[in-house]
Amino acid sequence: MQRNEKNHLKPPIFFANPVSVLYDTDMNTIEYENYREEKEHGSPLFPYVTYLCSIPLDFSEVPVHWHDEVEIIYVKKGMGTVYVNLKSFTVKGPAIVLILPGCLHGIRQYGEDSMEYENIIFHPNLLYGTKSDFVSREFVEPVLSGAYDIPAVLTPKMPQYRQIAAPIDACDEICRQKPKGFQLFVKGQLFQLLYALISCFRGTAPGRKNQKDLERIKPVLKYVERHYPEKIPVSDIAGELGVSEAHFMRFFKEIMEMSFVTYLNHYRLTMAARLLRISGDSILEISQETGFQNLSNFNRAFKKKYGQTPSDYRKGNGRDTEVQKDGGR
C-alpha cells in the first residue's frame, strides 16, 4: 500500500501548544514522532521547551517512545498512567517523572480520570561542556546515563521532593516573564537540579537485567513507527533483527506482554484516534492512512478498543461534521 501523499502520515502531533517557548518560532509545526523524535525540541541554540498537556482532553495516550532529550513529566493535577522502560506507574499530582535520554516511556489515561501535566524537554547539550570537562565527566554523564538510583516517580511524600521540584518551579516562573538573559537562569537551575539529584541519590543504580532486551526492542518500535501505514509482514521484522519469525514472536511477547499483531493494531488505532481528533479526512481515508485495508475491520477494531464507532468518537471530540466519503461509519 502506498502512503497517502497528502499527509505522508508521520505520527501526529501529540503535544498541546507550548506555554513556555524559549525561542522565536512557531511550535505548532513540531511533529512529535512516537518512538524517537527526529525534530529538535527548542532552538539549536537553546534546546529547552515546556508544554502544557491534558489527558484525555488533548489525547487519551502517548504510545511508548524514546528520544535523545531529557524529559520531565511534571504532573500538576489528576491521575494517569506513566510507563518507564515498560514498567507501569500510576501517578497522582503533584508528582515528577524524570525521563533520561534513550529511556522508553509513554503515558495513558487511568480509567476515567483526567491528568494535567507539564512536559519539559531539553537536550543534554545544554549541560555538557567539552569532552575533557570535569563536571561533564564526573557528574552530568553519570546522572544522564542512569548511573544514579533515581526513583521513576518522585512524590511529595519523599523527603527529597522539594529540593528536586524547586529548580523546576524556578524555571517555570522565569519562563513566564522571560527577562533578558533568562536562558542563563534556566541553565543554572538545570545544574541545580542535577546537584539535587546527586545529593539525594548517592547510591549506584542496580544493574537493569532487562536493559539488553530494551535495546533490542527499540529498532522494532522504530520500524513500526516508520511503516505502520503499510502492510508489515512478520518476516520483515524478523529479518531486520536477523532472527526467525518464531523467535521474534516469542521474544516480542515476552518483552511487550502482547503479540506483535496486537501491538501493531493498537498502535495503528492510537494513530487513527488522534487523526479523528485533528484531521478533516474521512474515516475511510484515516483507516487507510493508518494501515487498515478494510473499513469494516477498522470500525470493528476501533469500537472494541474505544467503546464507540470512529464516527461517534469524532463527534465526541469536537468534530461533528464528517466528510461523507466513506458511506457511513
Side-chain angles (χ1 to χ4, degrees):
M1 170 183 169
Q2 294 183 342
R3 291 173 181 253
N4 186 311
E5 292 299 320
K6 177 172 56 179
N7 288 314
H8 300 288
L9 205 65
K10 288 185 178 180
I13 300 168
F14 269 1
F15 286 139
N17 291 336
V19 293
S20 301
V21 180
L22 306 191
Y23 56 97
D24 186 17
T25 188
D26 180 8
M27 289 300 297
N28 289 321
T29 63
I30 286 182
E31 293 181 304
Y32 182 79
E33 295 191 339
N34 287 301
Y35 289 93
R36 186 172 184 272
E37 298 170 11
E38 302 294 345
K39 297 234 176 192
E40 294 176 307
H41 288 289
S43 81
L45 297 179
F46 198 73
Y48 177 101
V49 68
T50 300
Y51 303 86
L52 276 184
C53 301
S54 177
I55 288 180
L57 182 61
D58 294 322
F59 42 82
S60 62
E61 68 179 294
V62 178
V64 176
H65 62 285
W66 63 281
H67 45 69
D68 292 329
E69 292 81 12
V70 178
E71 179 172 339
I72 299 171
I73 302 171
Y74 196 170
V75 181
K76 299 294 187 174
K77 297 180 181 178
M79 184 180 297
T81 300
V82 176
Y83 297 91
V84 181
N85 280 333
L86 304 182
K87 293 183 179 179
S88 173
F89 300 89
T90 301
V91 295
K92 183 178 181 180
I96 295 171
V97 183
L98 178 64
I99 307 297
L100 299 177
C103 176
L104 289 168
H105 59 286
I107 310 171
R108 72 181 305 171
Q109 185 178 13
Y110 179 80
E112 298 297 320
D113 289 305
S114 60
M115 184 174 77
E116 297 178 12
Y117 65 96
E118 285 183 358
N119 202 237
I120 303 165
I121 301 177
F122 63 91
H123 199 280
N125 286 346
L126 268 181
L127 304 176
Y128 281 117
T130 62
K131 291 183 179 179
S132 59
D133 178 65
F134 174 80
V135 171
S136 296
R137 184 179 69 249
E138 295 296 321
F139 303 113
V140 178
E141 178 61 29
V143 171
L144 298 188
S145 65
Y148 280 78
D149 190 13
I150 303 171
V153 180
L154 301 162
T155 70
K157 293 182 179 180
M158 298 177 177
Q160 309 95 335
Y161 182 81
R162 281 311 314 158
Q163 188 177 351
I164 293 168
I168 302 174
D169 292 335
C171 287
D172 282 350
E173 183 60 31
I174 201 167
C175 287
R176 294 187 183 96
Q177 305 167 22
K178 292 192 283 188
K180 183 178 180 180
F182 72 97
Q183 295 93 338
L184 289 170
F185 183 89
V186 169
K187 190 168 183 176
Q189 290 301 307
L190 292 180
F191 278 111
Q192 183 66 36
L193 174 61
L194 280 185
Y195 176 75
L197 293 171
I198 291 171
S199 300
C200 294
F201 306 104
R202 296 181 184 276
T204 302
R208 289 179 286 182
K209 295 181 180 179
N210 66 337
Q211 186 60 34
K212 185 177 180 180
D213 289 339
L214 293 176
E215 292 302 320
R216 289 181 67 197
I217 207 72
K218 283 183 180 180
V220 179
L221 304 184
K222 186 64 175 178
Y223 191 92
V224 171
E225 171 205 322
R226 289 174 170 169
H227 299 282
Y228 72 89
E230 308 161 10
K231 185 177 180 180
I232 303 182
V234 173
S235 58
D236 287 0
I237 300 286
E240 288 287 316
L241 296 179
V243 299
S244 68
E245 293 183 34
H247 178 85
F248 166 71
M249 295 295 280
R250 286 194 304 271
F251 162 75
F252 190 92
K253 191 166 186 177
E254 287 175 4
I255 302 303
M256 301 298 291
E257 298 183 348
M258 67 179 74
S259 71
F260 175 73
V261 173
T262 299
Y263 172 82
L264 178 59
N265 284 336
H266 174 83
Y267 185 94
R268 286 169 166 167
L269 290 168
T270 302
M271 298 296 100
R274 185 57 181 161
L275 286 179
L276 287 168
R277 288 173 177 264
I278 67 173
S279 168
D281 290 352
S282 72
I283 291 174
L284 175 60
E285 288 174 327
I286 289 174
S287 70
Q288 294 172 339
E289 291 162 2
T290 52
F292 288 90
Q293 306 297 316
N294 181 283
L295 180 60
S296 296
N297 290 341
F298 170 69
N299 287 334
R300 184 164 51 252
F302 192 94
K303 187 172 183 179
K304 183 178 181 180
K305 176 174 172 61
Y306 291 100
Q308 54 187 324
T309 65
S311 179
D312 289 340
Y313 182 90
R314 167 172 271 176
K315 290 177 181 178
N317 287 280
R319 283 192 174 273
D320 294 335
T321 303
E322 163 63 343
V323 181
Q324 294 297 326
K325 295 181 181 179
D326 55 21
R329 299 178 182 177

